[in-house]
Amino acid sequence: MNKVDERLEWLHTHSRASASHRRGEYVSLPAGCGFGGGKLCPSNYANTPHNARLIQQVLDDPSVQRVARFVDNGLAMFFPALHRFLSNLLDKILADNPDIRRMFEGCCYGACHFNLHNAATRQHEDFFNVLFSMCAVYASGQYDHTRAGHFVAWSLGLVTQFPPGTVIFIPSAPVTHSNIPIAAHERRSSIAFFMSSGLGRWYQNGYMSDKDFKAQASSKQLQAWKDQRSRLWEVGLELLQC
C-alpha cells in the first residue's frame, strides 16, 4: 500500500496538468482506452508526451499492477457475470485494434483515472461509463478515514468510511457520488477503474459507431437495434446478479 501511495505522489509531483475539472479541484490523469468524445474509433486516451511517459511508468509498477489484479479478483468474486462481460468486451476491442495498448495484464477494466494528492470529488455521475457496470475505486494516501475521505452515494442515501488501501465497487454512471474532503495537511489519491460505454456500443454495432451503423442499417436492422437498446437495463440486471 505504501509503495502505491509513493508512486501516485511521484506522479502528482512530476506531472503537468490542470487541477480543475468537472469532478473537482485536483489533478486527474486518464490511462487505458475508450471511445467517444469525437474519436473516430476506439483508442488509448490522450496525454501530453511528458505525462504519457510518467503514466506508463506508473502502469508498469509492480505494486500498481497488484492493485489492478486485486480489483479484478474482487469484481470476479462478487459480480462474476459482469466480470466475464467486461473481460470479453476488452478482449474483443483489443483484438480488433492492435494499436491499442492494454492498460493492465489480468484486469478486465479498459481504463482508469489517476486522481492525485487531494482528490475529493464533487457530486457527479460518470455518464460516459457502461451504465450497468460496477466501477472500482482504490483509495490511497495518508488521511484519517474516520474524519474525512468518506464515500457518499447521494442517490442511494449512503455514506461510508473509505480507508486507504481499500476498494469500493459502485455503478458510477447512474449513481450520484462524491468524497468528503480531507484536511489540508493530509493527502488522498485514488485509482478509479472503469469501462467506456462507447466501447460497448462499438462492439455491438459490429465495430462501428452509432452514426455509421444507422447510416447503413436496413429498417429491420434499425428497429432491432432500437429494441436492443431499450432492453439494456434488463441485460444489466442479469449481469449484476451474484
Side-chain angles (χ1 to χ4, degrees):
M1 185 173 71
N2 288 337
K3 290 183 178 180
V4 176
D5 180 38
E6 291 172 0
R7 179 55 83 176
L8 295 180
E9 275 299 296
W10 173 85
L11 180 59
H12 174 261
T13 300
H14 293 88
S15 62
R16 303 168 188 163
S18 171
S20 181
H21 44 86
R22 76 175 185 89
R23 293 183 180 88
E25 304 296 322
Y26 59 90
V27 172
S28 182
L29 299 173
C33 62
F35 176 61
K39 294 177 181 288
L40 298 179
C41 64
S43 62
N44 286 105
Y45 286 110
N47 286 284
T48 65
H50 173 83
N51 288 342
R53 289 191 295 271
L54 301 179
I55 290 170
Q56 191 58 52
Q57 291 184 55
V58 174
L59 295 176
D60 292 339
D61 190 295
S63 61
V64 178
Q65 289 280 341
R66 283 194 293 272
V67 167
R69 292 193 295 272
F70 176 67
V71 164
D72 182 86
N73 289 335
L75 188 71
M77 178 180 296
F78 293 107
F79 302 98
L82 178 61
H83 179 268
R84 289 191 296 270
F85 171 84
L86 295 181
S87 297
N88 179 69
L89 174 59
L90 183 58
D91 287 345
K92 295 294 186 182
I93 293 296
L94 295 177
D96 180 61
N97 191 335
D99 291 333
I100 298 177
R101 299 183 303 279
R102 180 183 286 271
M103 180 175 63
F104 293 114
E105 291 297 332
C107 184
C108 66
Y109 288 102
C112 74
H113 274 105
F114 294 110
N115 304 312
L116 304 175
H117 188 65
N118 59 339
T121 62
R122 303 186 183 104
Q123 294 184 41
H124 70 285
E125 302 87 27
D126 297 307
F127 41 77
F128 287 118
N129 298 350
V130 173
L131 178 65
F132 48 77
S133 178
M134 287 287 181
C135 298
V137 184
Y138 172 84
S140 178
Q142 296 182 3
Y143 59 95
D144 183 352
H145 67 273
T146 67
R147 298 173 63 87
H150 294 61
F151 186 88
V152 184
W154 292 89
S155 48
L156 299 180
L158 298 175
V159 180
T160 183
Q161 293 181 5
F162 197 0
T166 60
V167 174
I168 281 180
F169 292 97
I170 177 75
S172 67
V175 173
T176 305
H177 57 283
S178 67
N179 295 104
I180 294 175
I182 58 174
H185 66 278
E186 296 178 320
R187 68 173 185 262
R188 180 186 181 277
S189 296
S190 68
I191 309 176
F193 298 81
F194 66 94
M195 183 72 79
S196 163
S197 61
L199 296 181
R201 294 194 299 271
W202 179 268
Y203 173 66
Q204 289 297 325
N205 290 339
Y207 302 102
M208 66 181 75
S209 67
D210 285 353
K211 179 181 179 181
D212 290 341
F213 177 84
K214 288 187 285 188
Q216 57 85 45
S218 66
S219 58
K220 184 176 181 179
Q221 289 174 322
L222 189 58
Q223 186 58 51
W225 181 86
K226 291 179 179 178
D227 291 343
Q228 188 228 25
R229 290 293 174 90
S230 70
R231 297 194 303 272
L232 274 178
W233 67 273
E234 297 176 346
V235 174
L237 287 179
E238 292 178 2
L239 292 175
L240 290 174
Q241 294 180 14
C242 298

